[in-house]
Amino acid sequence: MEASNQSTVTEFVLLGLSAHPKLEKTFFVLILSTYLVILLGNGVLILVTILDSHLHTPMYFFLGNLSFLDICYTTSSVPLVLDGFLTPRKTISFSACAVQMFLSFAMGATECVLLGMMAFDRYVAICSPLRYPVVMSKAAYVPMAAGSWVAGGANSLVQISLAVQLPFCGDNVVNHFTCEVLAVLKLACADISINVVSMAVANAIFLGVPVLFISFSYVFIIATILRIPSAEGRKKAFSTCSAHLTVVVIFYGTILFMYGKPKSRDPLGADKQDLADKLISLFYGLLTPMLNPIIYSLRNKDVKTAVRELVSAKCLPQ
């Protein structure tokens, strides 16, 4: 198609649940409730890690960053999804779509790196406890957290810059709830091989490398814990990293389920498969941010104590 015959896309139409209007109200209530739980749970965690001096340690600094990241990640997409459930024609401008893709991509990549940093923190705490104050000093853990944000943002900037340079001149209907980058790339009227290769390399770096790093860290952590002579000592040591390990398993387990599940070969079930894929992708973005504060509250005595003290202080009359 020649450039003179192309009509440049200035906005996208988000398909969402347009083919299933009866489900929109149900999912609006469900997703809004989940989003409020995410804001409340992660907001409380951020507050307690700031206000409680006992939690001014590297582990809780990383946890506060994780909670803030989860709020940013869900806020980059959930309001758009909720608005789509209430709007007959769900449109978004090209520039707003690019911003939304950038934020979602950046937050996802940042979380992968941050979980790796948190694994290193637990490795040093359990395997080299005497060196922990030196290795994980403020001069070390603050740049580590900042580096996670910078790496995620830089990766997203590269990927989205490549995406927005593509010509979009035909279909402008995105078969998703949000501007999901792969769904948008399918609409480009040009070869997207460079984008696909770039994203594959980025996934290998931001998914594969942290997974390997976390796996090796926990091999050494578990080996160290098993060498502790007393059962009480082993239990106490494991309790300091069990919450992080649970979060890692849920985060990466959900990714493997979402991208590793077999596709249906039944053409008659294509619509159902398509709907299921979109819903799984949507709830993947909500599951981990909702569970993170619950897991850290239930499995961490220091956080539970800090939350109780915060609630008690708010409830007591002045």
Side-chain angles (χ1 to χ4, degrees):
M1 186 182 295
E2 294 182 0
S4 59
N5 295 328
Q6 293 180 354
S7 176
T8 305
V9 171
T10 58
E11 67 176 16
F12 292 104
V13 177
L14 302 175
L15 198 58
L17 287 176
S18 299
H20 307 273
K22 293 182 179 179
L23 296 176
E24 290 188 326
K25 290 183 179 178
T26 301
F27 278 101
F28 176 85
V29 174
L30 181 60
I31 292 170
L32 177 60
S33 302
T34 304
Y35 182 51
L36 293 176
V37 170
I38 290 170
L39 293 179
L40 177 63
N42 287 286
V44 169
L45 268 184
I46 293 171
L47 275 179
V48 298
T49 56
I50 293 174
L51 299 177
D52 194 319
S53 59
H54 297 97
L55 302 184
H56 292 175
T57 64
M59 182 174 77
Y60 296 111
F61 178 77
F62 286 129
L63 178 57
N65 273 263
L66 183 64
S67 293
F68 180 66
L69 187 150
D70 284 338
I71 290 175
C72 293
Y73 181 73
T74 51
T75 302
S76 70
S77 59
V78 171
L80 181 63
V81 174
L82 294 174
D83 180 66
F85 288 145
L86 300 176
T87 308
R89 180 173 171 81
K90 309 157 184 64
T91 60
I92 182 172
S93 68
F94 188 92
S95 57
C97 183
V99 171
Q100 194 261 311
M101 286 192 296
F102 170 80
L103 292 174
S104 295
F105 216 98
M107 297 305 107
T110 300
E111 181 154 1
C112 292
V113 180
L114 191 61
L115 288 174
M117 298 296 182
M118 295 173 77
F120 178 74
D121 171 71
R122 292 299 84 207
Y123 163 77
V124 178
I126 292 175
C127 299
S128 303
L130 296 180
R131 297 182 59 207
Y132 183 76
V134 176
V135 176
M136 294 304 296
S137 64
K138 190 172 183 179
Y141 68 76
V142 171
M144 287 169 65
S148 301
W149 287 90
V150 170
N155 173 58
S156 182
L157 184 61
V158 171
Q159 304 304 326
I160 305 309
S161 295
L162 289 174
V164 298
Q165 290 177 30
L166 292 169
F168 294 90
C169 50
D171 188 8
N172 69 334
V173 178
V174 179
N175 188 17
H176 214 280
F177 296 99
T178 62
C179 286
E180 200 271 336
V181 64
L182 292 177
V184 172
L185 288 178
K186 290 178 181 178
L187 304 180
C189 48
D191 183 20
I192 60 171
S193 300
I194 294 178
N195 302 78
V196 172
V197 171
S198 177
M199 290 184 65
V201 172
N203 287 339
I205 295 172
F206 285 89
L207 286 174
V209 173
V211 165
L212 288 175
F213 186 79
I214 292 169
S215 299
F216 280 115
S217 295
Y218 273 100
V219 166
F220 288 109
I221 287 171
I222 292 171
T224 301
I225 290 175
L226 292 178
R227 289 198 297 268
I228 298 175
S230 68
E232 184 63 28
R234 289 193 296 270
K235 181 180 178 181
K236 183 177 180 180
F238 185 73
S239 68
T240 65
C241 59
S242 59
H244 174 258
L245 183 59
T246 304
V247 168
V248 166
V249 169
I250 292 173
F251 180 76
Y252 286 105
T254 310
I255 293 176
L256 290 174
F257 172 76
M258 187 168 68
Y259 291 106
K261 63 186 178 62
K263 300 292 184 181
S264 173
R265 296 185 179 182
D266 180 11
L268 297 177
D271 289 342
K272 291 183 179 179
Q273 179 72 48
D274 179 61
L275 175 62
D277 288 345
K278 288 193 292 186
L279 290 175
I280 289 172
S281 176
L282 175 63
F283 281 100
Y284 154 71
L286 297 173
L287 179 66
T288 305
M290 182 183 69
L291 292 180
N292 281 353
I294 297 173
I295 292 168
Y296 274 99
S297 296
L298 292 177
R299 303 184 69 89
N300 189 294
K301 185 171 67 174
D302 293 335
V303 173
K304 282 192 288 187
T305 301
V307 170
R308 279 198 297 264
E309 290 177 353
L310 179 64
V311 172
S312 299
K314 295 294 182 182
C315 292
L316 288 176
Q318 299 297 319

